[in-house]
């Protein structure tokens, strides 16, 4: 069974309620139909019910009638969520009038449903930007205990099986936090270890990447990676983590042994933590395109409940896969 099949099969057992705020969008509807038909998750669609059902009819989808459809403009829990919003954000000046408007935005409604325990996770972003999907999540769902920063990991499935764990690697942060401090970078490493175990199903060996290997270059940017490595090891003493490493020293055994002799990670890493978002986002896209690797993600990590962001160029199967991953994250929460 390949990795995605295993993730879907696990999701079927968990029966998690996943909310899709872009409920009238064609790819979302097609994905909801497959997810419901294959019983991968219990789907909640946000949108005008008549419109959702008429779009589903036009697309000849047969399972949408079995989903829960909630109209963001009129539903029985509207005031309950407005009250929660005001309680959670009054220190930021959120008024009852503002909250009543915001709750009609499906992206806000989805996060409040999660906060209230009425849904287990969310997938959105087929027609909304990353910022618009994440902002309500940051404001209302917030981060998990011990983690202050949300980040995004990719599971990279490489054609060349000599790298990582039989060709499987995890990269982070490739999607969210532009310029982490050293303690935030340490948190990203710890959160990625959790994603690697829970979703990729392998034991992480983490390389903290830089343009220096074991102090070969002196620069404040290198110091940040060295300090983050130490802090991550303090946060999670059982973690197999080492750095600073250049990328070749992290993944190629011979180079690792010569540049970082004695390191148990050098040349054997299956998790790569990048020093900032520029490096992480560029690296995953280059590996995906130049090495024809499959990139599964971004899997958002560090949030108190699983909320995942799609690329606007996503396919129906990308949505199906990300919902299955979200259900697995919800089960491991
Ligand atoms: N983790 C947790 N909370 C965060 C984070 C984070 N990474 N970033 C911001 N926040 C919180 C802030 O603390 C703040 O909370 P508060 O209102 O309770 O005080 C709230 O979110 C808003 O903070 P802002 O700094 O105003 O954040 P903003 O909304 O402007 O930006 C965003 C957040 C959109 C995620 C920004 O960091 C961003 O644009 N990141 C890059 C995303 C991106 O474009 N990625 C590449 C494409 S994805 C891909 O290629 C797969």
């Amino acid at each position: 069974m390949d990795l995605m099949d295993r993730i879907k099969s696990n999701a079927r057992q968990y029966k998690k309620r996943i909310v899709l705020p872009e409920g009238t969008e064609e790819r979302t509807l097609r994905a909801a139909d497959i997810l419901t038909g294959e019983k991968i998750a219990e789907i909640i669609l946000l949108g005008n019910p008549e419109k959702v059902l008429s779009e589903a009819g036009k697309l000849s989808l047969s399972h949408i009638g079995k989903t829960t459809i909630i109209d963001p403009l009129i539903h029985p829990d509207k005031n309950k969520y407005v009250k929660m919003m005001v309680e959670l954000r009054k220190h930021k000046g959120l008024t009852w009038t503002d909250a009543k408007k915001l709750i009609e935005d499906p992206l806000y409604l989805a996060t409040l449903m999660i906060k209230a325990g009425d849904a287990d996770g969310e997938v959105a972003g087929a027609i909304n930007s990353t910022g618009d999907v994440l902002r309500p999540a940051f404001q209302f769902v917030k981060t998990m205990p011990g983690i202050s920063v949300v980040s995004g990991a990719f599971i990279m499935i490489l054609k060349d099986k000599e790298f990582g764990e039989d060709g499987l690697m995890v990269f982070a942060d490739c999607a969210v936090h532009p310029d982490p401090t050293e303690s935030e970078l340490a948190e990203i490493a710890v959160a990625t270890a959790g994603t690697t175990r829970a979703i990729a199903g392998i034991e992480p060996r983490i390389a903290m990447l830089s343009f220096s290997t074991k102090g070969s270059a002196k620069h404040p940017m290198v110091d940040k990676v060295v300090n983050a490595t130490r802090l991550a090891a303090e946060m999670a003493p059982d973690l197999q983590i080492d750095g600073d490493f250049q990328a070749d020293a992290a993944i190629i055994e011979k180079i690792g042994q010569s540049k970082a002799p004695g390191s148990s990670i050098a040349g054997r890493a299956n998790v790569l933590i990048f020093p900032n978002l520029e490096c992480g986002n560029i690296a995953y896209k280059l590996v995906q395109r130049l090495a024809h690797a499959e990139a599964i993600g971004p899997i958002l990590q560090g949030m108190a409940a699983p909320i995942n962001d799609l690329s606007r160029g996503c396919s129906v199967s990308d949505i199906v896969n990300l919902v299955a991953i979200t259900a697995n994250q919800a089960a491991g929460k």
Side-chain angles (χ1 to χ4, degrees):
M1 199 187 283
D2 82 2
L3 180 66
M4 255 344 291
D5 287 340
R6 180 173 59 69
I7 290 170
K8 283 182 193 164
S9 152
N10 288 343
R12 272 185 204 101
Q13 295 171 34
Y14 303 142
K15 301 191 189 327
K16 292 294 174 186
R17 299 158 302 166
I18 307 299
V19 54
L20 306 180
E22 295 156 334
T24 52
E25 193 274 329
E26 178 176 337
R27 289 160 299 171
T28 304
L29 276 170
R30 288 189 187 280
D33 193 64
I34 295 169
L35 288 157
T36 306
E38 296 185 9
K39 296 188 167 61
I40 293 171
E42 293 177 14
I43 296 299
I44 304 167
L45 289 167
L46 302 187
N48 176 285
E50 272 176 30
K51 192 157 180 222
V52 171
L53 292 172
S54 100
E55 290 299 316
K58 279 186 220 157
L59 299 169
S60 307
L61 304 177
S62 53
H63 300 292
I64 296 299
K66 289 179 238 154
T67 65
T68 302
I69 305 171
I70 295 177
D71 186 342
L73 301 183
I74 326 159
H75 60 93
D77 290 324
K78 198 167 172 181
N79 275 339
K80 172 178 98 174
Y81 298 141
V82 170
K83 192 163 172 253
M84 281 181 74
M85 287 177 94
V86 174
E87 269 163 22
L88 291 164
R89 299 287 292 178
K90 60 175 177 255
H91 67 288
K92 293 273 177 182
L94 186 72
T95 63
W96 188 269
T97 313
D98 293 338
K100 267 173 88 173
K101 255 188 236 145
L102 282 178
I103 201 62
E104 294 186 351
D105 176 339
L107 295 171
Y108 276 85
L109 174 57
T111 56
L112 266 296
M113 289 181 70
I114 293 170
K115 189 71 188 171
D118 297 334
D120 301 305
E122 172 194 344
V123 172
I127 48 171
N128 285 287
S129 70
T130 299
D132 288 345
V133 173
L134 294 190
R135 215 165 290 114
F138 289 163
Q139 290 173 352
F140 293 100
V141 174
K142 298 199 173 283
T143 51
M144 58 171 60
I147 300 281
S148 67
V149 72
V150 171
S151 54
F154 276 88
I155 298 176
M156 305 297 296
I157 302 176
L158 302 156
K159 293 209 182 304
D160 196 334
K161 303 297 171 204
E162 87 180 74
F163 296 113
E165 202 76 26
D166 203 19
L168 199 145
M169 300 193 80
V170 180
F171 290 8
D173 172 18
C174 305
V176 184
H177 200 53
D179 192 14
T181 62
E182 59 193 33
S183 64
E184 288 172 340
L185 192 57
E187 287 180 17
I188 291 170
V190 173
T192 308
T195 301
T196 304
R197 290 190 186 108
I199 309 295
I202 57 175
E203 189 51 33
R205 294 188 300 275
I206 305 176
M208 302 291 279
L209 295 188
S210 176
F211 54 82
S212 156
T213 299
K214 292 289 174 188
S216 62
K218 306 278 174 235
H219 192 278
M221 290 165 93
V222 178
D223 296 341
K224 173 173 115 168
V225 173
V226 172
N227 291 337
T229 308
R230 178 179 46 76
L231 290 171
E234 284 168 15
M235 283 173 73
D238 62 336
L239 221 53
Q240 296 185 69
I241 185 167
D242 204 357
D244 49 308
F245 289 137
Q246 288 158 287
D248 56 355
I251 60 171
I252 295 170
E253 193 121 29
K254 226 173 166 183
I255 299 178
Q257 278 167 6
S258 85
K259 287 189 175 182
S263 167
S264 61
I265 303 293
R268 301 180 59 240
N270 54 21
V271 175
L272 303 183
I273 302 298
F274 297 91
N276 62 32
L277 183 55
E278 277 176 325
C279 295
N281 191 267
I282 291 167
Y284 106 77
K285 284 181 191 286
L286 285 180
V287 173
Q288 182 185 29
R289 300 292 167 182
L290 298 180
H292 303 286
E294 190 183 342
I296 300 174
I299 302 168
L300 296 189
Q301 44 186 27
M303 203 97 73
I307 292 176
N308 281 306
D309 174 42
L310 295 156
S311 153
R312 273 172 285 181
C314 66
S315 64
V316 173
S317 79
D318 290 336
I319 304 177
V320 170
N321 288 348
L322 203 53
V323 168
I325 288 170
T326 307
N328 277 256
Q329 286 179 293
K333 189 162 82 77

